[in-house]
Amino acid sequence: DAKTTQPNSMESNEEEPVHLPCNHSTISGTDYIHWYRQLPSQGPEYVIHGLTSNVNNRMASLAIAEDRKSSTLILHRATLRDAAVYYCILRAPGGGADGLTFGKGTHLIIQP
Amino acid sequence: DSGVTQTPKHLITATGQRVTLRCSPRSGDLSVYWYQQSLDQGLQFLIQYYNGEERAKGNILERFSAQQFPDLHSELNLSSLELGDSALYFCASSVAGGLDIQYFGAGTRLSVL
């Protein structure tokens, strides 16, 4: 599986934008970039995914570099509830193994 | 609320014992996944079932087994338990498989004493 690299932790202030980076220099042309997050004492939850174009949904935006070797998850206005571990995961279509491969993720700390 | 239900929430047992964890997927989802989260190994994929059949295997030990029943609920059986099996066990479900979004339950915390 292609590997992702994320900072261990990041800190931001409430109501400010947060940019969470992910490097995936060995990404293949068909790999999708998925983001999940895990709030304290909860199971992981889906955030967003994309292939080549930038994506927006009600939770976040995903900016994908033109060469696809990196991407950034953007939380436009962080709240205390966004404090979580964020995982960047590459997923290949038709691979037959549909389980998610979680790395260590980025522990996002939000200061009030 | 993800719609995925896991029981029990907590389980305390002794080494050498056997336990069963249960998962009810979201209504309409055919795939069920099991994951283990421990402090040293992080979140690891164990096994996937699709419509009653095993579809993919991850880092699942031979002492562990799972099944998915006709009503699509799933059970994860852990036997000959060791101290190192203490972990959070999550179940997730998705509509089918592939690149589908996976919805996770709240987990079962297993403590092996």
Side-chain angles (χ1 to χ4, degrees), chain B residues 19-21 34 46-47 60 64-66 74-78 89:
Chain B
V19 297
T20 298
L21 313 184
W34 286 98
L46 296 179
I47 196 164
I60 189 166
F64 296 0
S65 64
S74 177
E75 292 180 356
L76 179 67
N77 300 296
L78 314 176
Y89 291 85

Side-chain angles (χ1 to χ4, degrees), chain B:
Chain B
D1 182 4
S2 67
V4 177
T5 304
Q6 290 188 246
T7 56
K9 285 189 168 47
H10 303 278
L11 203 44
I12 302 174
T13 189
T15 54
Q17 296 298 305
R18 172 189 168 95
V19 297
T20 298
L21 313 184
R22 183 189 167 101
C23 171
S24 294
R26 292 188 323 151
S27 176
D29 283 359
L30 297 178
S31 268
V32 170
Y33 312 78
W34 286 98
Y35 292 84
Q36 179 194 58
Q37 185 171 35
S38 61
L39 279 174
D40 54 344
Q41 298 286 339
L43 261 165
Q44 289 196 94
F45 166 64
L46 296 179
I47 196 164
Q48 176 198 3
Y49 275 79
Y50 172 76
N51 204 21
E53 300 289 327
E54 182 185 304
R55 183 155 180 166
K57 257 185 176 175
N59 298 322
I60 189 166
L61 299 173
E62 282 192 15
R63 300 184 285 110
F64 296 0
S65 64
Q67 52 185 328
Q68 186 179 28
F69 295 87
D71 67 352
L72 300 177
H73 91 271
S74 177
E75 292 180 356
L76 179 67
N77 300 296
L78 314 176
S79 60
S80 303
L81 285 168
E82 302 175 359
L83 296 177
D85 298 326
S86 297
L88 268 167
Y89 291 85
F90 290 105
C91 166
S93 73
S94 70
V95 173
L99 297 176
D100 285 354
I101 294 168
Q102 294 183 21
Y103 296 87
F104 285 75
T108 293
R109 181 174 293 281
L110 173 67
S111 298
V112 182
L113 305 179

